[in-house]
């Protein structure tokens, strides 16, 4: 497989071709990377979902210093997963479950729009190392199932990736525990990935709750931050600092601080 892709190939089609070839390497898309070994998916990562390390450390499954010790000792040899298990910091079964959750969460975003992939790097190996492989068709099928379910709940995929805010004056009553915890993290700044990281929760579960909150009229995409105005011409003379101007300056300083 070469590193050049024709324009008609989608990410899912490219993965299928790589699976047929039994390829090993990394396929980069607009929203993440899928790693393959012998034509099977062994890892996926995306900026729109917390990585495995964040999930393990924030949930308390692995201490932060233990995680970074495994990365330091096993990262260059692609054996971080093995180091976690061999050192007794994490059971093999727990690693496998967490790894598969992170893999499918990231793959969902890589395949969400199913656009043309950027490139394929033959032979590339993820630093985590082998944990468990999954057939390409199983990954593509599961991502399609998740997308269909989320769209049935609330058909706006922007909820998955943009900063979210609470709808003004909307009242939340008798929410399930997980949904209430998710709503409490919505602050006008955090995205679904950041909310998932704060809750040490798998992204897909968070997306389900956020789309339900959107369907209930409690959550919406946050308005984009205002673009700072360019400084006006220097007209010289004295400084005009009436109360309205002073207020505008304080607002400007606050926006710049944010």
């Amino acid at each position: 497989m070469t590193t050049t892709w024709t324009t008609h190939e989608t990410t899912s089609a490219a993965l299928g071709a790589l699976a047929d070839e039994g390829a090993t390497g990394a396929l980069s898309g607009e929203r993440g990377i899928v790693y393959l070994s012998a034509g099977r998916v062994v890892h996926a990562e995306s900026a729109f979902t917390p990585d495995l390390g964040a999930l393990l450390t924030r949930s308390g499954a692995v201490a932060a210093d233990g995680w970074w010790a495994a990365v330091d000792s096993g990262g260059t040899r692609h054996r971080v997963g093995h180091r976690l298990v061999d050192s007794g910091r994490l059971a093999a079964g727990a690693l496998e479950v967490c790894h598969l959750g992170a893999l499918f969460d990231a793959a969902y975003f890589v395949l969400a729009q199913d656009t043309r992939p950027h490139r394929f790097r033959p032979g590339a190996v993820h630093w985590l190392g082998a944990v468990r492989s999954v057939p390409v068709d199983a990954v593509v099928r599961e991502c399609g199932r998740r997308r269909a379910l989320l769209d049935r709940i609330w058909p706006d995929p922007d909820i998955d990736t943009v900063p979210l805010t609470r709808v003004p004056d909307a009242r939340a009553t008798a929410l399930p525990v997980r949904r209430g915890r998710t709503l409490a993290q919505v602050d006008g700044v955090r995205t679904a990935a950041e909310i998932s990281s704060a809750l040490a929760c798998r992204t897909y579960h968070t997306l389900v709750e956020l789309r339900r909150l959107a369907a209930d009229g409690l959550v919406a995409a946050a308005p984009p931050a205002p673009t700072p105005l360019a400084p006006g011409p220097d007209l010289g003379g004295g400084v005009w600092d009436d109360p309205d101007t002073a207020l505008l300056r304080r607002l400007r300083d606050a926006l710049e601080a944010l």
Side-chain angles (χ1 to χ4, degrees), residues 118-204:
H118 292 172
R119 63 172 180 160
F120 177 69
R121 290 178 290 147
V125 180
H126 194 270
W127 47 263
L128 179 68
V131 177
R132 181 175 177 180
S133 64
V134 184
V136 164
D137 59 352
V139 173
V140 174
R141 185 170 58 250
E142 173 61 15
C143 291
R145 185 193 70 82
R146 293 183 177 197
R147 184 166 56 251
L149 174 60
L150 291 172
D151 286 346
R152 285 199 300 271
I153 297 172
W154 181 252
D156 182 4
D158 285 348
I159 293 293
D160 300 347
T161 56
V162 301
L164 301 172
T165 187
R166 300 189 191 193
V167 175
D169 301 325
R171 294 185 177 182
T173 57
L175 291 177
V177 173
R178 177 181 289 176
R179 203 168 309 161
R181 291 176 62 230
T182 304
L183 180 61
Q185 296 294 327
V186 177
D187 59 0
V189 177
R190 290 190 177 108
T191 62
E194 291 165 330
I195 292 172
S196 298
S197 183
L199 295 173
C201 178
R202 287 180 49 191
T203 305
Y204 176 65

Side-chain angles (χ1 to χ4, degrees), residues 42-244:
V42 291
H43 196 66
E45 58 185 22
S46 171
F48 294 99
T49 184
D51 62 18
L52 180 63
L55 292 173
L56 289 174
T57 56
R58 289 182 178 271
S59 66
V62 176
D65 57 352
W67 166 259
W68 289 114
V71 171
D72 291 341
S73 62
T76 57
R77 293 178 294 167
H78 316 294
R79 292 181 58 84
V80 173
H82 287 284
R83 291 298 301 160
L84 287 171
V85 175
D86 293 345
S87 64
R89 294 186 175 94
L90 190 65
L95 173 62
E96 184 174 306
V97 170
C98 292
H99 167 255
L100 287 177
L103 185 157
F104 279 109
D105 279 352
Y108 165 79
F109 285 101
V110 176
L111 293 169
Q113 297 179 327
D114 205 14
T115 54
R116 183 172 63 88
H118 292 172
R119 63 172 180 160
F120 177 69
R121 290 178 290 147
V125 180
H126 194 270
W127 47 263
L128 179 68
V131 177
R132 181 175 177 180
S133 64
V134 184
V136 164
D137 59 352
V139 173
V140 174
R141 185 170 58 250
E142 173 61 15
C143 291
R145 185 193 70 82
R146 293 183 177 197
R147 184 166 56 251
L149 174 60
L150 291 172
D151 286 346
R152 285 199 300 271
I153 297 172
W154 181 252
D156 182 4
D158 285 348
I159 293 293
D160 300 347
T161 56
V162 301
L164 301 172
T165 187
R166 300 189 191 193
V167 175
D169 301 325
R171 294 185 177 182
T173 57
L175 291 177
V177 173
R178 177 181 289 176
R179 203 168 309 161
R181 291 176 62 230
T182 304
L183 180 61
Q185 296 294 327
V186 177
D187 59 0
V189 177
R190 290 190 177 108
T191 62
E194 291 165 330
I195 292 172
S196 298
S197 183
L199 295 173
C201 178
R202 287 180 49 191
T203 305
Y204 176 65
H205 296 157
T206 302
L207 295 181
V208 169
E209 299 303 340
L210 287 172
R211 291 222 192 183
R212 285 172 173 165
L213 289 167
D216 291 340
L218 300 174
V219 164
T227 303
L229 297 176
D234 184 3
L235 301 178
V239 177
W240 185 41
D241 199 15
D242 65 14
D244 289 340

Side-chain angles (χ1 to χ4, degrees), residues 228-229 231 245-258:
L229 297 176
T245 303
L247 175 60
L248 290 174
R249 287 180 176 174
R250 289 196 297 272
L251 288 173
R252 180 198 63 191
D253 293 340
L255 286 173
E256 289 177 349
L258 288 173

